[in-house]
Amino acid sequence: MKDQFQSGPLHGKVNNKEERFSSSGFILAAIGSAVGLGNMWKFPYITGQYGGAAFFMLFVICLLLVGLPVLLAELTVGRGGRGNASTSLIRLSGRKLWGGFGFITILGAFVILSFYAVVAGWTLHYAMLSFTGKLFEHKDYALLFSNFNASWMPVFWQFIVMLLTGFVIIRGVSAGIEKFNKILIPGLVILLLVLCVRALSLEGAGEGVAFFLKPDFSKLSAESALVALGHAFFSLSLGMGAIMTYGAYVDKRQSLGLATLAIGIGDLAYAFLAGLIIFPTTFVYGLEASQGPGLVFVALPAAFSAMPLGAIFGGLFFVLLAFAALTSMISLLEVPVAFVREAFGWSRKFSVVLLTLLCFLVGLPSALSLGDKAPWLTFGGKSFFDWMDFVCSNIVLPLGGLVVTLFVGYAWKGAAEEAGLSTWWLRLWMFMLRYVAPILVLLVFLYSSGILTF
Ligand code: PHE
């Protein structure tokens, strides 16, 4: 197949080296996208809620059996179509309808980014509080967290992280996205290892490790399986056009199969190490691992305050979280940026400035809905923030995953050639995409959107 870099349609830039990843840069950027708040903020508390080690095993199975095939499908579509998450689908199928489905994932990425930035902002605030020691002047961390949310600080930090994200993307794929991931990911690994050693050397860490690694299968249910699958999708950044968009910047010589494996291992290793930090820490200090979204911002500060050199370790922990969030935000912002550049022919600079500001504005109600400034932003039993998370993570994301799965499994005949797998792997991949993934993803969708209940 002729490489479309040569024939042109990649945002109208013919053969533009600035808009391509190197092989290692691509893998790091994709790992950066996958590794994010999901691994460190969401994964530990859902693991706590749904049965510890048994849940972790389910997560690994879902990641391998469904997550990786869909990840490869997204990469293949991106590289084959060489467009944004909508035009790639149109180009490869010759049908506008697929582009419409793709467009929904682009909207999804934009909206996820709008509230993801709010949480990313919290991490920077908490890093500052920790390093300056202010975090430990308090005793009631739940109160501290709700007072913080009632102030204007979350909006300030949300603005800062959006600016940082825009600042990286404005420089382009090679000089921006790739370069920053090459700095941030090694930094992330070092921080992760330092914190892991710290957590595991705490006295009594074993109990937390056991909770995380000793499975109790009686805790498993159909519900935990669906939550695990939904999280495998979120964690690999699937269904939001992010991986598809990155795929468009990948060289034809890159083995997509190996890249998929590397991204999967990277994401899993990170989740594993995050568990080894969070569970021992919470157990040693007698905190509740299943307490929900407040785990990282409420329970962990209490642990850091009691730990020797807690200000430093706490600060490093929140910096780690901020790095992880930033590399995911970069991949999310690139999705709509790629779209508007191609659709309207705008320059990268203009597209990034416009979408960064727009996304900040769209995120404002999310940030404000968690304080007491705007009670009207809570309706139907959920805050605006929770609604955004609910709609994106539970409806748009599984639907986006389903679209890609069906597209590669049934609609696009050139997928096998583009993926470049050997016969045996190809058969397995197609089998998963045609028969296994769609059914499971549909179940997740029905369950997480509330249509199917247990
Ligand atoms: N994978 C990211 C995380 O775990 C979230 C994300 C989802 C990023 C979808 C991009 C697209 O935090």
Side-chain angles (χ1 to χ4, degrees), residues 33-39 112 116 233-238 240 242 267 328 331-332 397:
S33 172
V35 163
L37 293 169
N39 301 57
I112 277 217
Y116 199 91
F233 261 64
F234 184 84
S235 186
L236 287 175
S237 302
L238 302 175
M240 288 288 164
D267 189 48
S328 299
S331 74
L332 283 166
L397 196 140

Side-chain angles (χ1 to χ4, degrees), residues 47 77 81 145 161 164 166 174 178 196 201 232 260-261 318 325 343 345 370-371 376 389 392 452:
T47 303
V77 171
F145 188 56
V161 288
L164 286 173
S174 164
E178 172 164 336
C196 218
S201 59
T260 301
L261 207 63
F318 287 110
L370 298 171
W376 45 275
D389 183 18
C392 289
L452 181 77

Side-chain angles (χ1 to χ4, degrees), residues 94-408:
R95 284 171 183 268
K96 281 228 156 75
L97 182 70
W98 283 107
F101 290 133
F103 183 70
I104 297 175
T105 68
I106 297 173
L107 276 183
F110 183 77
V111 176
I112 277 217
L113 179 60
S114 75
F115 70 83
Y116 199 91
V118 175
V119 185
W122 299 347
T123 65
L124 283 183
H125 180 74
Y126 270 71
M128 294 288 264
L129 282 185
S130 194
F131 281 134
T132 54
K134 287 214 177 85
L135 186 60
F136 310 121
E137 289 164 9
H138 300 264
K139 282 283 156 283
D140 186 343
Y141 290 103
L143 184 69
L144 176 72
F145 188 56
S146 64
N147 283 345
F148 164 60
N149 271 316
S151 72
W152 287 99
M153 285 313 272
V155 172
F156 167 76
W157 287 111
Q158 176 206 356
F159 186 65
I160 299 291
V161 288
M162 281 307 307
L163 277 190
L164 286 173
T165 311
F167 173 74
V168 172
I169 298 212
I170 213 162
R171 304 159 71 104
V173 175
S174 164
I177 303 179
E178 172 164 336
K179 200 163 153 206
F180 275 77
N181 272 289
K182 278 189 166 162
I183 300 170
L184 287 185
I185 301 287
L188 208 104
V189 173
I190 294 171
L191 287 176
L192 199 64
L193 293 176
V194 169
L195 288 162
C196 218
V197 170
R198 166 72 276 200
L200 291 176
S201 59
L202 291 170
E203 221 177 288
E207 211 185 315
V209 176
F211 172 78
F212 183 45
L213 297 181
K214 253 200 214 143
D216 170 3
F217 292 104
S218 68
K219 293 226 181 88
L220 288 189
S221 62
E223 186 177 345
S224 37
L226 293 183
V227 172
L229 185 58
H231 188 66
F233 261 64
F234 184 84
S235 186
L236 287 175
S237 302
L238 302 175
M240 288 288 164
I243 296 295
M244 227 191 289
T245 306
Y246 272 6
Y249 309 132
V250 176
D251 197 278
K252 281 284 174 199
R253 281 163 302 183
Q254 171 90 45
S255 157
L256 293 184
L258 285 181
T260 301
L261 207 63
I263 300 163
I265 291 174
D267 189 48
L268 201 59
Y270 190 95
F272 182 73
L273 293 176
L276 286 185
I277 295 173
I278 290 183
F279 292 110
T281 311
T282 41
F283 271 74
V284 166
Y285 293 101
L287 304 159
E288 193 54 61
S290 58
Q291 67 162 253
L295 176 63
V296 159
F297 296 98
V298 177
L300 286 185
F304 290 126
S305 76
M307 185 185 281
L309 293 181
I312 294 178
F313 287 112
L316 290 179
F317 174 81
F318 287 110
V319 169
L320 167 71
L321 222 61
F323 278 11
L326 202 60
T327 52
S328 299
M329 289 174 64
I330 290 169
S331 74
L332 283 166
L333 185 59
E334 183 61 19
V335 177
V337 165
F339 176 76
V340 298
R341 288 180 71 202
E342 209 173 354
F344 306 119
W346 293 341
S347 69
R348 175 173 277 278
K349 228 185 216 151
F350 180 69
S351 313
V352 171
V353 171
L354 186 78
L355 286 169
T356 303
L357 292 178
L358 210 61
C359 195
F360 167 68
L361 293 178
V362 171
L364 275 181
S366 291
L368 296 176
S369 70
L370 298 171
D372 50 9
K373 274 188 210 59
W376 45 275
L377 282 171
T378 296
F379 45 90
K382 279 193 206 328
S383 65
F384 189 83
F385 177 99
D386 290 333
W387 274 115
M388 293 297 107
D389 183 18
F390 178 80
V391 171
C392 289
S393 308
N394 299 334
I395 299 175
V396 180
L397 196 140
L399 277 185
L402 196 62
V403 168
V404 185
T405 310
L406 296 177
F407 183 80
V408 175

